[in-house]
Amino acid sequence: MNLRRFGIYCGIAAPLIWLSLISLAGAMRPEFSHSYQYISELGERGSSTEIPMRYIGFEFAGVLYVCFATALPASLREGWRSALVAVFIGLDGLGRVGAGVFACDPGCDGLSSSQELHRLFATTGFSSAILAAIACGIVFRGHAWLGILSVYSIGSGILAAIFLLLMTWDTNPIQTPGLFEHLATGVLSLWLLVFAARLSRAST
């Protein structure tokens, strides 16, 4: 297996591992609410799910995102357009790694430096993932075999952004921030999985 195909397979595996760890860690903590609590709380310092969520869910999956990003220029061969999408996906991966290295405080509402860095990296990851989906839809809309994903990619990025805005809206009448975060990461994870799977089929 060459490095390009390995990178594409990393893009398929990364969102599957991420979503699986959210489900697994949530199942390990019956008191955890996916509707009211943030995903980061599954990896908070001192929790029973800190180790698997931080080191597999955030860091390992994040490395896989970076590996996928490095394979994009050689897979797409579209010059700056490939590089643009690759940069955003790579920043998403680095944001995930950083969010794993710097765990949030219990409840993710502390004031420690680790908490602040966790928030910074998580925000970077989410923002980059949204930009990656939108950029992919725009720059590849006329591509021979990626154009079919154009509307889906842009829609995924916009929908995820809306969910994150609802998550942070203090006066939102639906006070379920965890639910909106889960929906946002679900939409973006599914988009990356579809994107990587499309690349895998086209590369056979």
Side-chain angles (χ1 to χ4, degrees):
M1 183 189 302
N2 59 39
L3 292 177
R4 180 175 58 85
R5 288 202 61 79
F6 173 76
I8 293 174
Y9 289 143
C10 286
I12 295 174
L16 294 175
I17 291 173
W18 168 246
L19 294 177
S20 297
L21 260 294
I22 293 174
S23 299
L24 177 62
M28 292 170 63
R29 290 173 57 181
E31 80 285 357
F32 182 84
S33 171
H34 291 283
S35 294
Y36 296 99
Q37 292 178 265
Y38 296 112
I39 295 170
S40 294
E41 292 182 60
L42 292 170
E44 65 188 10
R45 290 202 309 274
S47 69
S48 59
T49 53
E50 176 185 3
I51 300 301
M53 195 66 207
R54 283 183 64 187
Y55 298 112
I56 301 177
F58 280 104
E59 294 184 22
F60 179 64
V63 170
L64 294 182
Y65 273 77
V66 173
C67 290
F68 176 56
T70 61
L72 289 180
S75 299
L76 296 173
R77 299 176 183 176
E78 292 288 336
W80 68 268
R81 298 190 298 175
S82 303
L84 178 66
V85 176
V87 166
F88 285 139
I89 293 177
L91 286 174
D92 180 13
L94 291 175
R96 291 168 182 272
V97 172
V101 171
F102 300 100
C104 74
D105 297 335
C108 287
D109 58 359
L111 298 174
S112 70
S113 58
S114 181
Q115 170 70 42
E116 293 303 313
L117 287 169
H118 176 87
R119 183 181 292 112
L120 174 63
F121 278 109
T123 300
T124 298
F126 257 128
S127 301
S128 299
I130 290 171
L131 291 174
I134 294 175
C136 185
I138 293 174
V139 301
F140 293 124
R141 62 185 181 279
H143 193 276
W145 44 269
L146 280 180
I148 193 173
L149 298 179
S150 179
V151 173
Y152 170 64
S153 297
I154 296 172
S156 296
I158 293 174
L159 185 60
I162 291 172
F163 284 141
L164 289 180
L165 287 174
L166 289 172
M167 180 190 77
T168 57
W169 183 19
D170 291 336
T171 58
N172 181 4
I174 308 175
Q175 293 297 319
T176 53
L179 174 62
F180 291 122
E181 185 188 31
H182 281 69
L183 289 173
T185 200
V187 167
L188 293 171
S189 296
L190 181 59
W191 168 75
L192 190 82
L193 178 61
V194 171
F195 179 34
R198 183 71 175 168
L199 281 178
S200 178
R201 290 181 58 188
S203 301
T204 56

